[in-house]
């Protein structure tokens, strides 16, 4: 019997993690702390809202007073920090909020963990802290020993948070773990990200904006596999350790877009090559040897199955994403894609 504080649980991966834990550990109390930024959506949490062992609290992780009050009343055993500004393009447009939430917010959570005491603080980080790999060296992968070498304000802010976690472990003995996962896909992903954006545009017969030639490579993992890895780390992982999470599923953006079009029966003429992202990372590729050897984790979902399930989810849940694309997101889309 434990109490988990899950920050950012109204977003894509955090909500999937709440559903995963609800199923896997029904005896646990789950508390979700979320600011409900543009990326947070209470509608997503509707399936657990009436559950007596689930509580939602609206708060900002960078608001020290609010966070301390929550720790004082809730007394969590384990904290899993998903809360973040997560979109690279938005960090290029406005870096400041990325530092406030991703760095300062993490620091407030670490301080709260020191002050009130926890069994474990887990930081959900990203493979982007390693920078990128060249396309002509398929033999290279990110390991836990790869030096941090960030490209965007987003990845720099996530790296800053990771360094703080390590510092709080070494200096204050705080029991932290960090995971660095590759690109996730699956249900409830905000439609600003590649896969849901392309599904939504294809369904509306709108142009599919591919940055540059679409040759950049990402290492895609079904979101539930990420949740399973985090569950293993918080229960069996070594304190002070970084775990890379990925399933050796590297794909070029253009190939992902073509798969989506094919599955939806839409023409490739919808593909539109647009100006490239500034500082665009070429290739991400995780070496998951350590988490496999140490915790026995392996991804359960093959890409062919995961993408089929994901496309079906967006077809079956049009109301969820249509509410978003027809809301304030429209202004962002116009600004970004003209
Ligand atoms: P998301 O943008 O879908 O969700 C982020 C959530 O955090 C939202 O619910 C938002 O309201 C909340 N939030 C933002 N600022 C907050 C604040 N100041 N206080 C409290 N809540 C706040 O993000 P996601 O894709 O689910 O990513 C979750 C985490 O996983 C992030 O830390 C991200 O860096 C990391 N990550 C994401 C991926 C990916 O492919 N999406 C891969 C690896 C790691
Ligand atoms: O690798 C993990 C990271 O994956 C996470 O830390 C981030 O939070 C998450 O957003 C994701 O970052 P990316 O930048 O890789 O994801 P995004 O979906 O924004 O873009 C994936 C690729 O698709 C990237 O090469 C840029 C390209 N792209 C993206 C968009 C939104 C396009 O070509 N067109 C687009 O409109």
């Amino acid at each position: 019997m434990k109490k988990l504080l899950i920050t950012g649980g109204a977003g894509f991966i955090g909500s999937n993690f709440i559903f995963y834990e609800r199923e896997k550990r029904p005896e646990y109390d789950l508390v979700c702390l979320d600011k409900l930024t543009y990326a947070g959506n209470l509608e997503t949490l509707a399936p657990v809202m009436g559950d007596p062992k689930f509580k939602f609290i609206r708060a900002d992780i960078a608001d020290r007073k609010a966070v301390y009050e929550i720790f004082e009343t809730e007394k969590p055993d384990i904290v899993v920090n998903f809360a973040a500004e997560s979109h690279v393009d938005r960090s290029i447009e406005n870096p400041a909020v990325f530092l406030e939430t991703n760095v300062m917010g993490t620091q407030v959570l670490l301080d709260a963990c020191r002050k009130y005491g926890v069994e474990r603080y887990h930081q959900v980080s990203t493979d982007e802290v390693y920078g990128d790999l060249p396309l002509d060296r398929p033999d290279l992968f990110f390991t836990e020993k790869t030096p941090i070498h960030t490209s965007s304000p987003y990845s720099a802010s996530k790296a800053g948070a990771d360094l703080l976690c390590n510092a709080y472990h070494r200096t204050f003995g705080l029991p932290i773990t960090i995971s660095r996962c590759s690109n996730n896909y699956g249900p409830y992903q905000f439609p600003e990200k590649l896969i849901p954006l392309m599904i939504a545009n294809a369904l509306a017969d709108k142009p599919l904006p591919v940055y540059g030639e679409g040759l950049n490579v990402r290492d895609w993992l079904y979101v539930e596999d990420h949740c399973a890895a985090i569950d293993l780390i918080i229960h069996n992982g070594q304190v002070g350790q970084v775990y890379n999470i990925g399933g050796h599923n590297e794909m070029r953006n253009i190939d992902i877009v073509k798969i989506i079009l094919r599955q939806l029966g839409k023409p490739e003429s919808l593909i539109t090559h647009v100006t490239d992202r500034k500082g665009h990372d070429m290739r991400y590729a995780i070496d998951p040897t350590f988490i496999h050897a140490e915790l026995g984790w392996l991804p359960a979902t093959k890409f062919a199955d995961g993408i089929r399930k994901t496309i079906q989810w967006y077809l079956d849940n049009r109301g969820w994403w249509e509410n978003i694309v027809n809301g304030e997101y429209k202004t962002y889309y116009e600004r970004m894609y003209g």
Side-chain angles (χ1 to χ4, degrees):
M1 177 37 211
K2 287 189 196 303
K3 188 180 271 193
L4 254 61
L5 178 67
I6 297 155
T7 69
F12 165 46
I13 309 174
S15 60
N16 276 282
F17 183 73
I18 288 171
F19 301 143
Y20 182 86
E21 287 299 309
R22 187 66 306 154
E23 192 79 13
K24 171 141 190 165
R25 303 182 187 276
E27 72 282 11
Y28 278 20
D29 282 312
L30 307 179
V31 178
C32 170
L33 182 172
D34 198 296
K35 184 179 176 181
L36 297 181
T37 66
Y38 78 90
N41 190 345
L42 265 193
E43 215 181 293
T44 304
L45 293 175
V48 287
M49 273 306 191
D51 182 336
K53 294 181 84 57
F54 174 80
K55 187 192 264 188
F56 177 81
I57 303 173
R58 186 172 192 175
D60 182 341
I61 57 164
D63 179 342
R64 189 171 293 273
K65 188 166 170 286
V67 168
Y68 282 10
E69 273 170 23
I70 292 165
F71 272 70
E72 187 142 1
T73 44
E74 297 300 331
K75 300 182 177 44
D77 301 296
I78 299 175
V79 177
V80 186
N81 180 26
F82 292 93
E85 288 293 335
S86 69
H87 194 37
V88 173
D89 292 326
R90 292 188 192 247
S91 82
I92 294 168
E93 207 182 32
N94 177 20
V97 68
F98 283 73
L99 298 186
E100 281 156 24
T101 289
N102 300 2
V103 182
M104 302 312 290
T106 298
Q107 196 234 342
V108 168
L109 290 173
L110 292 168
D111 280 343
C113 290
R114 271 190 75 204
K115 186 171 160 70
Y116 295 97
V118 291
E119 224 172 80
R120 180 67 64 84
Y121 172 88
H122 183 72
Q123 177 70 6
V124 181
S125 185
T126 168
D127 61 357
E128 296 202 14
V129 301
Y130 298 123
D132 64 352
L133 296 164
L135 289 181
D136 61 356
R137 290 292 307 276
D139 54 314
L140 296 180
F141 295 93
F142 298 137
T143 74
E144 288 78 2
K145 294 197 168 65
T146 301
I148 285 188
H149 185 76
T150 57
S151 312
S152 69
Y154 163 69
S155 55
S157 68
K158 293 294 289 183
D162 286 12
L163 296 176
L164 271 176
C165 293
N166 285 333
Y168 273 60
H169 171 58
R170 171 150 178 171
T171 310
F172 306 118
L174 198 73
I176 66 104
T177 37
I178 298 173
S179 54
R180 296 181 179 148
C181 190
S182 60
N183 286 61
N184 284 214
Y185 69 102
Y188 299 109
Q189 187 165 29
F190 195 85
E192 67 191 348
K193 306 283 166 52
L194 180 78
I195 289 180
L197 186 149
M198 297 301 167
I199 296 172
N201 282 19
L203 287 172
D205 296 309
K206 277 169 58 175
L208 271 52
V210 171
Y211 297 161
E213 293 302 308
L215 303 179
N216 306 64
V217 169
R218 297 293 182 265
D219 184 357
W220 294 95
L221 185 74
Y222 193 61
V223 63
E224 207 173 276
D225 285 323
H226 186 186
C227 296
I230 294 173
D231 178 76
L232 276 174
I233 296 167
I234 60 180
H235 291 94
N236 304 330
Q238 278 176 54
V239 164
Q241 186 64 54
V242 171
Y243 291 88
N244 282 358
I245 309 172
H248 281 307
N249 185 50
E250 291 177 53
M251 298 185 72
R252 301 187 311 177
N253 294 340
I254 191 72
D255 297 326
I256 296 264
V257 171
K258 286 182 181 170
I259 289 172
I260 293 170
L261 286 170
R262 210 173 311 129
Q263 293 206 13
L264 289 173
K266 299 288 181 176
E268 288 188 8
S269 55
L270 285 175
I271 295 174
T272 313
H273 292 277
V274 300
T275 311
D276 210 349
R277 176 184 277 174
K278 289 191 177 84
H280 197 171
D281 281 338
M282 282 316 298
R283 170 178 168 246
Y284 302 146
I286 285 276
D287 174 354
T289 307
F290 181 66
I291 190 168
H292 176 55
E294 177 101 353
L295 302 176
W297 178 86
L298 278 176
T301 309
K302 290 195 178 73
F303 186 76
D305 298 330
I307 194 70
R308 203 178 316 112
K309 279 201 276 185
T310 302
I311 291 175
Q312 194 57 49
W313 187 89
Y314 281 87
L315 284 167
D316 294 342
N317 293 274
R318 288 186 86 117
W320 183 89
W321 57 269
E322 279 176 353
N323 275 348
I324 296 170
V325 297
N326 295 322
E328 70 177 46
Y329 174 70
K330 251 188 181 164
T331 320
Y332 166 80
Y333 193 89
E334 287 299 320
R335 213 168 54 238
M336 240 336 261
Y337 300 97

